[in-house]
Amino acid sequence: MAIADSSLTRVGNALILRSIPALVAAVVITFSRNHAAVVGLTVFVGFAFLLASTLIFTVMSVPLEGLNRTLVGIQAIATVVAAAIASATLTGGLPSLLLVLSIWAGITAALELYAGYRESNRTVAKEWLTIGGFTAILAIIEAVVPMNDVYAVGIFGAYAAIVGVYQVIAGISLRSDAQSTTRKVSS
């Protein structure tokens, strides 16, 4: 088992922490009157830097083994690079937004899906596969569907809201699974 049942609490905490950047991005986009590409890129920069920080925290604090630790680390690096590219292309308009979002989402979705596929703890694997699936859908929509600024930014906001809420629920669920496992063992 790559993640011991006793570590589920830490994985749950990491997912809850990871939800914060997504929920902040969702709130900012939802309550912003301006859905121009520059706003989407700016929100993505903040989201990505915060997300990379939480991924680095996950690598350092959660007992991931072997390749999964490396995959989460690569996800953090890819997210920082995407944030840097987004901040360098703030005035690039809709093409920059679509390109940055779709490439970032494609890379991180592939990494998340592969980590979930490799994870032997099926509870954790299910959460990673679901998050990777949501991110893959974002990548496909942003890359393939013809959009204007409002749709592109709005879809990113919707993705952030869905993933943020899902990660909170998944984190709480993993923590409660860990507590029930601990109670069963101690009984």
Side-chain angles (χ1 to χ4, degrees), residues 133-155:
F134 286 140
T135 309
I137 291 169
L138 174 69
I140 293 166
I141 290 172
E142 294 285 356
V144 175
V145 177
M147 299 203 186
N148 61 24
D149 290 12
V150 174
Y151 289 139
V153 174
I155 288 172

Side-chain angles (χ1 to χ4, degrees), residues 15 18 68 71 75 108-137 159 163 166-167 170 174:
L15 281 174
R18 199 173 147 185
N68 280 356
L71 292 172
Q75 222 177 331
T108 58
L111 293 166
E112 189 101 40
L113 288 167
Y114 188 57
Y117 172 75
R118 290 185 37 78
E119 180 57 49
S120 61
N121 183 316
R122 294 292 54 166
T123 306
V124 175
K126 178 186 70 139
E127 308 305 356
W128 286 350
L129 289 169
T130 303
I131 295 165
F134 286 140
T135 309
I137 291 169
Y159 160 80
V163 167
Y166 182 83
Q167 288 173 336
L174 287 175

Side-chain angles (χ1 to χ4, degrees), residues 5 49 72 86 92 106 110 137 171 184:
D5 288 338
F49 279 128
V72 174
I137 291 169
K184 287 178 186 175

Side-chain angles (χ1 to χ4, degrees), residues 44-45 47-56 72-88 100 104 108:
F44 177 76
V45 168
F47 161 79
F49 279 128
L50 287 173
L51 178 61
S53 301
T54 64
L55 290 170
I56 291 167
V72 174
I74 293 170
Q75 222 177 331
I77 292 167
T79 303
V80 167
V81 169
I85 291 169
S87 67
V100 167
W104 166 80
T108 58

